[in-house]
Amino acid sequence: MPITDYISTLGDNPYFGAGAGLFGVGLVAAVAKKGAQGAFIVFRRQCMITMEVTSRDKSYHWLLQWITKYGTRTQHLSVETEFQQSAAGQVKTRFHFVPSPGNHYFRYGNNWILVERNRDNKMVEVFETVTLTTLGRNRELFMNILHEARHLALESAEGQTVMYSVMGSEWRPMGYPRRKRPLSSVVLDRGLSEKLLQDVEEFIDNPRWYMDRGIPYRRGYLLHGPPGCGKSSYIMALAGALDYSICVLNLSDKGMSDDRLSHLLTNAPEQSIILLEDIDAAFSNRDLAKENPTAYQGMGRLTLSGLLNALDGVASTEARILFMTTNYIDRLDKALIRPGRVDVKEMIDYVSSHQLVQMFQRFYPDAHPDRAEEFAQSVLNMSKSVSAAQVQGFFMFYKNDPESVITNAKDIVHV
């Protein structure tokens, strides 16, 4: 049978015609679908711009606050709870609605923006991404959004000090922002507060000086002395004066390791003071370690050499202000507090006559100045080892009665 007759026969077959037609329609549909997908990919690459921010990025929480402000028209909401502390110390709660996980549209200026909020609950820590997509190729739009989000976050924390603690391998705000403590409210010995503040400000204002001389741009401080004398209180007030936040790092954390410590120091929030409180509790003298090798490791994998490298090693960070506190400086390894790791050492000792006078006058501003001198002399005649915390606690018993404070000054040692 000739091939032409065979083809003619197939063409006259209605089943073959229907199948060929369906195949052709499917082929055309598939090609059209692929073409549409390709065209959309090209359109998205050439005519749209996308920005993705993960929950591990520092600007993530800033961006959520920004979405809170502009994403008011969405109908699928999540709640963001905010705590604010008033000047009187009272904590007020405010609730904000933000777009929940999913897709949302809203307008910003002359641009419509698609917000895709995705959450992965399968990980140990909740991991989330926020993706912003809009028409155009102007990256300045997203830069403006990030700058505005940062400005909005700084405004919300204005007049407050943000405390950060470690959660997993990241820094997270600890509780609600605290009202800034005036530096004058922490009374140290004569000239000591001004000396420390001047040193920190000089460091912050002169990064070029360090760069020109090839000196690592970081500064370490050690405040040592008896407990209750104002070490931690001064750091809190100093952060407020500098408009800095505080990152509290607990080296005794059982999950702390050398790598984790290095990562945390490298990724600390900008404009923050890193605080290592009671560092003697985490690391003692090397001779003690020989007797008890676990003294440096505990249940974790943090070692003294890991701490030293994180503070002053080749991978240590620049532009860092670090404060350590201890009640027992003699227990610290000399390598830990050598210059380069600790640049300034100051003793915050028991109250002096100057401190007693200043504290009395702050609590009782209407009392005659001679009464402050009399109180200071009475206390020092009884004991030279009275802490600022004892004095403040004693004043609290006689809030409005300076005469009783002087009369019962002998009882201050029992506070």
Side-chain angles (χ1 to χ4, degrees):
M1 185 177 185
I3 188 65
T4 55
D5 294 341
Y6 183 75
I7 294 175
S8 177
T9 302
L10 289 177
D12 295 335
N13 188 321
Y15 297 103
F16 177 80
L22 290 175
F23 174 77
V25 171
L27 179 62
V28 170
V31 171
K33 182 179 179 180
K34 287 290 185 181
Q37 290 176 344
F40 179 74
I41 292 174
V42 172
F43 174 79
R44 183 158 185 162
R45 289 179 178 177
Q46 299 298 323
C47 302
M48 302 178 73
I49 186 169
T50 298
M51 178 181 70
E52 181 182 85
V53 180
T54 69
S55 57
R56 294 175 180 172
D57 190 83
K58 297 177 182 178
S59 62
Y60 171 76
H61 293 285
W62 300 348
L63 191 60
L64 280 187
Q65 286 189 354
W66 182 86
I67 294 174
T68 300
K69 180 177 180 180
Y70 287 99
T72 56
R73 297 184 179 179
T74 181
Q75 299 301 311
H76 304 284
L77 305 172
S78 294
V79 175
E80 293 286 342
T81 306
E82 177 186 2
F83 298 98
Q84 290 186 334
Q85 190 176 41
S86 66
Q90 296 178 338
V91 178
K92 296 182 178 180
T93 305
R94 296 179 61 186
F95 299 101
H96 301 285
F97 292 115
V98 298
S100 62
N103 297 342
H104 310 272
Y105 296 89
F106 61 90
R107 191 176 182 85
Y108 173 70
N110 296 322
N111 301 275
W112 281 99
I113 297 178
L114 166 65
V115 175
E116 300 173 85
R117 192 175 178 189
N118 300 310
R119 180 177 297 168
D120 186 355
N121 294 317
K122 297 180 180 180
M123 302 179 65
V124 177
E125 299 179 39
V126 176
F127 181 77
E128 191 172 285
T129 60
V130 175
T131 305
L132 275 63
T133 305
T134 187
L135 291 172
R137 302 180 63 182
N138 183 16
R139 297 184 180 182
E140 289 298 318
L141 173 65
F142 289 148
M143 290 299 295
N144 292 337
I145 288 175
L146 292 175
H147 284 302
E148 188 172 331
R150 178 179 180 274
H151 180 71
L152 186 66
L154 292 177
E155 275 190 346
S156 65
E158 188 175 359
Q160 298 175 318
T161 300
V162 180
M163 306 288 291
Y164 290 93
S165 63
V166 177
M167 182 176 294
S169 59
E170 306 297 328
W171 292 102
R172 298 290 175 87
M174 179 172 61
Y176 49 85
R178 303 184 183 184
R179 181 170 55 90
K180 287 182 179 179
R181 181 170 182 173
L183 196 61
S184 59
S185 68
V186 184
V187 181
L188 301 184
D189 205 1
R190 190 185 304 273
L192 181 54
S193 176
E194 294 78 6
K195 176 184 176 182
L196 286 169
L197 176 61
Q198 181 180 356
D199 189 274
V200 176
E201 289 180 334
E202 183 179 353
F203 168 78
I204 294 173
D205 296 337
N206 294 281
R208 191 71 190 178
W209 187 91
Y210 286 80
M211 295 174 61
D212 291 343
R213 289 158 179 79
I215 301 174
Y217 183 52
R218 48 181 175 261
R219 197 78 169 157
Y221 298 84
L222 174 66
L223 303 184
H224 61 96
C229 291
K231 297 183 291 295
S232 299
S233 297
Y234 179 77
I235 296 171
M236 182 72 182
L238 178 65
L242 299 172
D243 201 21
Y244 270 45
S245 57
I246 298 179
C247 297
V248 182
L249 190 55
N250 181 14
L251 297 182
S252 300
D253 186 348
K254 294 182 179 180
M256 188 63 65
S257 65
D258 293 346
D259 292 339
R260 186 183 177 200
L261 175 63
S262 179
H263 171 80
L264 290 170
L265 292 179
T266 302
N267 293 277
E270 296 180 355
Q271 290 189 232
S272 62
I273 292 174
I274 298 175
L275 175 58
L276 307 180
E277 284 194 293
D278 297 323
I279 194 168
D280 57 278
F283 294 99
S284 301
N285 189 275
R286 280 179 181 160
D287 294 335
L288 178 62
K290 293 178 181 178
E291 300 173 6
N292 182 12
T294 62
Y296 291 104
Q297 298 183 11
M299 296 291 290
R301 300 181 300 278
L302 179 64
T303 63
L304 178 62
S305 61
L307 174 62
L308 300 182
N309 288 329
L311 295 180
D312 193 33
V314 294
S316 57
T317 55
E318 299 281 300
R320 184 187 67 207
I321 300 176
L322 184 140
F323 271 82
M324 304 180 193
T325 66
T326 179
N327 298 331
Y328 309 99
I329 190 173
D330 55 306
R331 296 183 182 179
L332 300 181
D333 193 286
K334 293 182 179 180
L336 179 61
I337 58 176
R338 68 157 175 80
R341 296 189 178 112
V342 173
D343 304 290
V344 178
K345 305 183 188 74
E346 292 292 348
M347 183 173 185
I348 311 297
D349 208 348
Y350 293 117
V351 289
S352 63
S353 176
H354 169 77
Q355 289 174 272
L356 288 168
V357 169
Q358 294 297 315
M359 293 181 71
F360 186 93
Q361 291 177 344
R362 281 190 59 83
F363 265 82
Y364 310 106
D366 297 329
H368 194 278
D370 292 343
R371 306 301 281 164
E373 295 286 351
E374 184 179 346
F375 169 74
Q377 194 61 43
S378 299
V379 172
L380 295 178
N381 285 340
M382 287 183 298
S383 175
K384 304 292 184 181
S385 304
V386 176
S387 68
Q390 285 178 286
V391 177
Q392 181 172 298
F394 183 66
F395 286 162
M396 296 299 292
F397 286 114
Y398 309 98
K399 297 178 182 178
N400 302 306
D401 191 0
E403 295 302 322
S404 295
V405 166
I406 298 173
T407 303
N408 299 291
K410 61 181 184 299
D411 296 332
I412 196 170
V413 296
H414 303 299
V415 176

